[in-house]
Amino acid sequence: MNDTRQQILDATAALLEHTGAEQVSIRDVCQAAGVTAPTVYHHFGDKNSLFEAVAEEGFRRYLGTKRSRKPSADPLADLRRGWTDHVGFGLAHPAFYRLMYGTPNAETRPAAREGHRVLVGILDRLAEAGRLRLPPEQAATLIHTGSVGTTLSLLSTPDGPGTAGLSERMRDAVFGAVLHPQDSPGGDEAASAQLARALLATLSSRRTPELTAGERGILLELLRKLAP
């Protein structure tokens, strides 16, 4: 049973790597997995539940990398690596990522909460070193929102104006908001504010269907804090 369920998940994940979720049908899944439709419905109930399970599978794969890494002696390096890994996973696995983070209630999944705990753990170490401007939980919310918004924006308009180096610039802007200036990468608050204002203007003037209303609101709130 479990082997069949995993077989269906793997087949669906492989399909999603090559096409968007809206293009994948139960028939496609059955053909790819070598099973019948009743078998899919037996294990997952319906298409939405199947995609929810695939999102969990995406988190499992993403968190597998995090679990395999031991914390380094430098929590700031771990924080930077965490941002890079997050954005990199999203760009390498766009269909997975949109199911993981571009759907309602994404943050309530157990795997998402585990990822949050990993981030807070790094920030706890930075707080102990006196590097944080904010409590770790607040800093984690800002960093997570910034990384998700950046990744979804890059997936939506990968060749848009200003996207070259966007992840690094946004990372430095967000880190500059949560870390003391002497410890923040880049350290140029004026440049961070300028970047935030540019992103705020861009997001305010166009639709972002890849973001939920809640995610868009949080990202806009973050950018307003970064661009006083």
Side-chain angles (χ1 to χ4, degrees):
M1 286 290 189
N2 287 337
D3 288 344
T4 300
R5 185 179 190 279
Q6 188 62 47
Q7 179 181 338
I8 296 169
L9 280 177
D10 290 342
T12 307
L15 287 170
L16 289 172
E17 289 296 325
H18 302 289
T19 186
E22 65 280 358
Q23 302 298 323
V24 175
S25 67
I26 292 295
R27 172 182 283 185
D28 295 330
V29 171
C30 291
Q31 290 178 344
V35 298
T36 63
T39 301
V40 175
Y41 292 127
H42 169 73
H43 285 284
F44 299 100
D46 57 24
K47 182 177 175 180
N48 288 337
S49 297
L50 171 60
F51 284 175
E52 181 67 20
V54 172
E56 289 287 348
E57 175 72 6
F59 274 113
R60 185 186 68 79
R61 297 183 185 188
Y62 171 59
L63 290 173
T65 301
K66 288 184 175 292
R67 293 172 184 144
S68 67
R69 287 179 171 168
K70 301 296 183 183
S72 74
D74 183 355
L76 183 54
D78 292 344
L79 189 65
R80 288 169 63 88
R81 184 176 63 184
W83 179 288
T84 300
D85 287 349
H86 182 101
V87 176
F89 181 88
L91 297 182
H93 306 285
F96 261 137
Y97 192 86
R98 288 190 176 100
L99 286 176
M100 291 162 63
Y101 289 108
T103 56
N105 304 317
E107 308 306 317
T108 65
R109 296 187 178 105
R113 292 196 293 269
E114 179 181 345
H116 177 78
R117 287 193 297 271
V118 171
L119 175 57
V120 171
I122 296 172
L123 292 167
D124 281 339
R125 295 168 61 209
L126 285 165
E128 291 170 1
R131 297 186 179 187
L132 282 189
R133 295 176 183 260
L134 304 172
E137 284 285 349
Q138 291 183 24
T141 297
L142 291 178
I143 292 170
H144 176 72
T145 302
S147 62
V148 171
T150 298
T151 307
L152 290 174
S153 180
L154 288 171
L155 290 176
S156 175
T157 54
D159 300 316
T163 55
L166 174 63
S167 175
E168 293 77 11
R169 296 196 307 273
M170 189 62 180
R171 176 201 64 202
D172 290 352
V174 173
F175 285 12
V178 302
L179 296 168
H180 288 302
Q182 63 269 25
D183 293 310
S184 60
D188 187 344
E189 294 190 11
S192 296
Q194 182 178 6
L195 171 63
R197 284 193 290 270
L199 288 173
L200 182 60
T202 300
L203 286 173
S204 298
S205 63
R206 73 176 180 89
R207 295 178 63 254
T208 51
E210 68 279 1
L211 298 175
T212 66
E215 289 165 343
R216 178 183 172 89
I218 292 173
L219 182 56
L220 289 173
E221 181 181 355
L222 168 63
L223 290 173
R224 292 187 187 105
K225 289 184 184 221
L226 294 173

